[in-house]
Amino acid sequence: MTYEFLQQYWWFLVSLLGALLVFLMFVQGANSMIFSLGSDEAERKMVVNSTGRKWEFTFTTLVTFGGAFFASFPLFYSTSFGGAYWLWMLILFSFVLQAISYEFQNKLGNIFGPNLFRWFLVINGIVGPLLLGGAVATFFNGSNFVIDKGNIINFSQPIISKWANSSHGLDALLDPWTLVFAFAVFFLARVLGIFYIINNVNDVSLRSRCRKRLVSNAGLFLLFFLTFLVRTLIKDGFAYDDTGKIFMEPMKYLHNFLSMWYVLIVLLVGVVLLLYALWRTIRDTNYIHGIWFAGIGVVLVVLCLLLCAGWNHTAYYPSNADLQSSLTIANSCSSEFTLRTMTYVSFLIPFVLAYIVYAWRAIDKKKIDREEMTASDHVY
């Protein structure tokens, strides 16, 4: 295992965690539609309890994603999480709202009623995907930061990276193309949320209403995503040569997919799986397994997009303020010893995934229905 291989390997693992996080945001997607999917109290309760049994998976994956990024590419962590802290603080605050809302909406002594906390879930369902999508979009559009590694010897102010303006990350939301991708992630989360509710809740009227919402949300997702994808493929990208010098390369991301044809094939497979799930679910009113085809497809597509952003001599976190400050997997990674040690630990990942699958199957052994919402005390 060479140092270069370890860098590529850990970018793959971080990308995979990011892809899994996007899939698990079906929790946020479904929560953003609590009041539009649920026509009465029982239906809203079923939606909340369906997502409430999975929200820990999403939150844990978010924390693991951040931890893996910090350990393998610490310069990105200090630059983005430290410089763009308003963006990340808003994301984390919305997830804190989510945790509080699940636990307290039906607690004794709640003088505000359950609907206030459900609106907090709606806020997390909207803000979370939008801001996370905006953060990922900066991998292709760039951010405003400056890095000076020489500052490490400045004992009075040893700050290597700093944000180039006072917005601390919120300026990314002023870029229209960042917003395009943010809305693509938002509507994707809603599509996945609809797929999940159809699969997890055994209620005819709720499933019927979900299928009606699926058409419009899928159409908006495809509109925003394809617009962003086409523009990204034809625009100039951020490349670097063997000396580490950053430069602009015409149609860089298209060249990446053509050079890494295997990544392109996986991307196309993911797109086909997602489209199949949409077609089958909309066409067949008895089909409830779209979440699995769509979920695998989304993981493959997001994984390939993130690999395209970092592999093949590409700057995965470009700087619009100072081009040479852009981060690559070569200039922002941990030491060879650290990456090698973490690689041995990463061999435990399959066992963790196996436990997640076991826990998921145990939780979903019985579909949620109206009877459970009234007969059981263990509901949100």
Side-chain angles (χ1 to χ4, degrees), residues 262-333:
Y262 45 90
V263 176
L264 177 60
I265 291 176
V266 175
L267 174 73
L268 295 177
V269 170
V271 171
V272 170
L273 287 174
L274 178 57
L275 293 177
Y276 172 78
L278 289 170
W279 172 78
R280 183 77 185 276
T281 304
I282 294 172
R283 178 175 173 270
D284 186 355
T285 56
N286 295 318
Y287 185 72
I288 65 171
H289 304 295
I291 182 62
W292 305 119
F293 290 98
I296 295 172
V298 166
V299 170
L300 294 180
V301 170
V302 176
L303 172 64
C304 292
L305 287 176
L306 293 176
L307 293 180
C308 180
W311 279 1
N312 198 37
H313 281 240
T314 309
Y316 71 85
Y317 198 48
S319 172
N320 295 324
D322 175 27
L323 187 61
Q324 299 310 313
S325 292
S326 301
L327 301 184
T328 70
I329 61 175
N331 68 14
S332 64
C333 66

Side-chain angles (χ1 to χ4, degrees), residues 77-147:
Y77 193 88
S78 65
T79 301
S80 180
F81 287 73
Y85 61 83
W86 281 123
L87 179 63
W88 289 106
M89 285 298 292
L90 286 174
I91 292 172
L92 293 175
F93 179 72
S94 74
F95 276 88
V96 171
L97 277 182
Q98 177 197 60
I100 292 174
S101 300
Y102 279 122
E103 297 301 327
F104 288 96
Q105 60 181 285
N106 286 314
K107 290 288 186 182
L108 293 177
N110 174 17
I111 62 174
F112 302 105
N115 281 340
L116 174 65
F117 291 99
R118 289 174 184 170
W119 276 112
F120 286 162
L121 291 177
V122 173
I123 291 173
N124 171 251
I126 296 173
V127 173
L130 280 175
L131 294 185
L132 280 171
V136 173
T138 60
F139 286 4
F140 300 94
N141 297 331
S143 298
N144 293 302
F145 61 89
V146 177
I147 292 178

Side-chain angles (χ1 to χ4, degrees), residues 2-39:
T2 65
Y3 192 24
E4 183 179 0
F5 169 82
L6 293 172
Q7 294 167 353
Q8 305 282 339
Y9 173 74
W10 274 98
W11 181 254
F12 171 82
L13 287 185
V14 168
S15 299
L16 180 59
L17 285 171
L20 291 172
L21 175 61
V22 172
F23 161 64
L24 290 170
M25 281 199 296
F26 68 76
V27 172
Q28 279 65 42
N31 284 345
S32 70
M33 298 179 288
I34 291 174
F35 293 100
S36 60
L37 290 180
S39 62

